[in-house]
């Protein structure tokens, strides 16, 4: 079964943290890993991929760290999936319709086998396209709005205060 790895989930949660970070600040991987409760070394690898894909940018120095490279409404779930996992195929057609017992050893391949795409292949490609389109339709801004609607103002304030305290300790 094809499954997107935990890296996609980690990346989306961490990018969400970056949307609501304190103004004029950048987040270091260690802070984001600590906040999310995930492995810093694993997250560092994810951030390397996100940077290579142009989703985050970084700077070095005492006030260095990561920030979104584009506005949140211009970063889609699909962008994150491709950055973290690479391009993927849900289905790989083996074209077995031409390999059945009747035609396997025949120099003549069946006419019906050459007419149009295999129906199975077509269904799988349609599903893959629907998944891609769905992921392309969801942005980090959308995610931020959905999450914001689910948590209380008190929780939003606590998150903001956590990052302000954490960033303050680094300065």
């Amino acid at each position: 079964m094809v499954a997107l790895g935990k890296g996609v989930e980690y990346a989306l949660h961490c990018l969400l943290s970056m949307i609501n970070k304190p103004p004029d600040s950048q987040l270091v991987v260690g802070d984001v890993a600590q906040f999310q409760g995930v492995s810093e070394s694993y997250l560092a690898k994810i951030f390397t991929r996100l940077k290579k894909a142009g989703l985050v940018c970084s700077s070095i120095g005492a006030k260095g760290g990561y920030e979104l490279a584009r506005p949140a409404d211009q970063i889609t779930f699909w962008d994150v999936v491709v950055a973290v996992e690479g391009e993927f195929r849900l289905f790989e057609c083996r074209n077995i319709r031409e390999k059945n017992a009747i035609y396997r050893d025949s120099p003549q391949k069946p006419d019906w086998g050459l007419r149009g795409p295999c129906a199975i292949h077509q269904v799988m490609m349609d599903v893959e396209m629907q998944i891609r389109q769905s992921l392309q339709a969801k942005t980090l801004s959308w995610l931020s709005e959905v999450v914001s609607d689910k948590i209380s103002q008190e929780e939003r304030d606590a998150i903001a205060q956590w990052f302000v305290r954490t960033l303050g300790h680094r300065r």
Side-chain angles (χ1 to χ4, degrees):
M1 178 68 173
V2 175
L4 297 176
K6 66 183 177 183
V8 172
E9 179 183 8
Y10 286 10
L12 288 165
H13 277 284
C14 293
L15 292 170
L16 178 62
S17 298
M18 297 177 84
I19 294 172
N20 300 315
K21 67 178 181 52
D24 300 322
S25 65
Q26 294 185 335
L27 301 178
V28 297
V29 171
D31 294 342
V32 179
Q34 183 182 1
F35 180 75
Q36 296 294 346
V38 299
S39 162
E40 182 176 347
S41 60
Y42 184 70
L43 198 58
K45 293 175 187 174
I46 292 171
F47 268 84
T48 299
R49 293 176 188 164
L50 295 172
K51 182 178 178 183
K52 185 177 179 181
L55 302 181
V56 298
C57 55
S58 66
S59 60
I60 56 174
K63 294 185 179 183
Y66 287 93
E67 61 186 349
L68 295 179
R70 310 192 296 244
D73 65 346
Q74 294 177 17
I75 299 175
T76 69
F77 277 46
W78 180 250
D79 295 332
V80 176
V81 167
V82 171
V84 174
E85 296 283 338
E87 290 281 343
F88 74 95
R89 289 296 216 199
L90 184 64
F91 178 75
E92 185 176 336
C93 183
R94 305 283 185 205
N95 204 18
I96 65 169
R97 64 185 178 167
E98 293 180 9
K99 298 174 186 172
N100 68 46
I102 297 169
Y103 300 106
R104 189 174 306 133
D105 297 324
S106 172
Q108 293 259 33
K109 296 300 178 195
D111 182 5
W112 56 263
L114 303 175
R115 279 182 282 164
C118 170
I120 296 168
H121 184 121
Q122 192 61 50
V123 168
M124 297 302 189
M125 293 301 99
D126 289 348
V127 169
E128 188 175 298
M129 182 57 68
Q130 289 174 25
I131 291 169
R132 181 179 289 118
Q133 288 172 342
S134 179
L135 292 170
Q136 288 171 335
K138 302 294 188 246
T139 65
L140 293 181
S141 288
W142 171 86
L143 178 61
S144 181
E145 289 173 21
V146 169
V147 170
S148 184
D149 288 345
K150 288 185 174 191
I151 64 175
S152 68
Q153 184 61 47
E154 192 174 87
E155 291 167 313
R156 282 192 287 279
D157 292 344
I159 292 168
Q161 289 171 9
W162 188 93
F163 278 105
V164 167
R165 278 192 316 274
T166 302
L167 294 171
H169 291 306
R170 282 197 291 122
R171 294 181 186 197

